[in-house]
Amino acid sequence: MGFYGDHVLPRCVNLACASKIAHEQRARVCAGLAGEVVEIGFGSGHNVAHYPRAVTSVSAVEPADVAWELAAKRVRATATPVRRAGLDGQSLPFEDDRFDAALSTWTMCTIPDLRAALAELRRVLKPGGELHFVEHGLAPDGKVQHWQHRLNPIQQRVFGGCHLDRPIVDSIRAAGFEVREVDEYYERLSPKFLGANALGVAVSP
Ligand SMILES: C[S@@+](CC[C@H](N)C(=O)[O-])C[C@H]1O[C@@H](n2cnc3c(N)ncnc32)[C@H](O)[C@@H]1O
């Protein structure tokens, strides 16, 4: 990826993802997780502090070495066993039906082939397994969508392939998940083109 993508971007993401508002959403999305969990786009481990006690292990999937290094302190501080178990959400190195739950926070915008990643999550989740997600994506309002489409090329270049205008909830449904609950809202203090969030739980049938 080069110096910017390998070293600068993960540090910027680490800072950008540390806000109080983000942590409020992390607490909500992690609630109810239990058993063996796979977390795609683990980043620098900002969700670790929010894992419920019922989580017995977390298999972290994260391509960026620097992000994983930045996560070390958080991983050491939790009683939940967390290991870096994979590098790419599009191709998970796990057997079928392995996990009780999956977690993705602001990652589905960035994975190049989202359809492949969602198919992989379906494959590795047990029947009835839950996907907990909070993601930004295509806004409900036409005017905001217009700006999302216009700004998308810049966003992708500056933020390591991040798409502003992916229809995340539709993509989750198209992958065969049943969306059991979803809250769609504009994030406080964020520009609408960037903060059209969907937070919810989908079930792999
Ligand atoms: C905006 S960051 C979010 C990080 C973290 N989930 C959080 O909430 O702080 C997106 C993350 O997706 C990761 N990512 C990019 N491509 C990926 C892929 N193919 N598979 C898994 N993760 C990927 C990036 O390295 C980055 O850590």
Side-chain angles (χ1 to χ4, degrees):
M1 254 180 115
F3 185 78
Y4 175 74
D6 290 343
H7 295 275
V8 180
L9 189 58
R11 289 185 168 84
C12 295
V13 170
N14 176 45
L15 293 176
C17 289
S19 71
K20 184 169 174 278
I21 292 173
H23 275 287
E24 287 166 8
Q25 295 166 86
R26 295 179 191 285
R28 283 179 67 198
V29 77
C30 289
L33 286 170
E36 285 195 55
V37 175
V38 57
E39 179 171 352
I40 59 164
F42 181 80
S44 49
H46 284 297
N47 292 322
V48 169
H50 302 285
Y51 297 151
R53 277 166 179 249
V55 172
T56 51
S57 72
V58 173
S59 295
V61 177
E62 173 54 52
D65 292 339
V66 168
W68 181 248
E69 286 160 21
L70 291 168
K73 222 164 64 179
R74 297 181 184 110
V75 168
R76 274 199 305 272
T78 176
T80 308
V82 179
R83 71 185 182 101
R84 191 183 188 189
L87 299 175
D88 184 0
Q90 301 162 123
S91 172
L92 295 174
F94 311 117
E95 67 270 30
D96 297 359
D97 301 342
R98 157 86 188 271
F99 293 98
D100 301 293
L103 175 63
S104 174
T105 62
W106 297 291
T107 290
M108 295 187 197
C109 52
T110 302
I111 293 184
D113 187 344
L114 176 56
R115 200 193 299 199
L118 287 166
E120 279 292 82
L121 289 178
R122 285 282 318 276
R123 183 182 67 73
V124 301
L125 276 173
K126 293 174 183 166
E130 293 182 348
L131 166 61
H132 290 225
F133 61 90
V134 58
E135 302 287 345
H136 72 88
L138 189 67
D141 304 297
K143 263 193 195 160
V144 182
Q145 288 183 5
H146 171 77
W147 280 104
Q148 290 183 313
H149 297 316
R150 287 198 70 173
L151 294 172
N152 207 31
I154 302 171
Q155 175 80 4
Q156 284 183 48
R157 226 167 296 139
V158 178
F159 291 101
C162 171
H163 294 72
L164 291 170
D165 58 357
R166 281 188 169 164
I168 298 293
V169 178
D170 287 349
S171 303
I172 292 172
R173 282 204 183 94
F177 285 94
E178 288 165 12
V179 176
R180 200 174 62 195
E181 51 191 85
V182 65
D183 182 14
E184 297 184 76
Y185 53 92
Y186 290 113
E187 186 177 297
R188 268 183 3 257
L189 306 182
S190 177
K192 284 187 172 178
F193 69 85
L194 190 58
N197 283 357
L199 186 156
V201 176
V203 177
S204 185

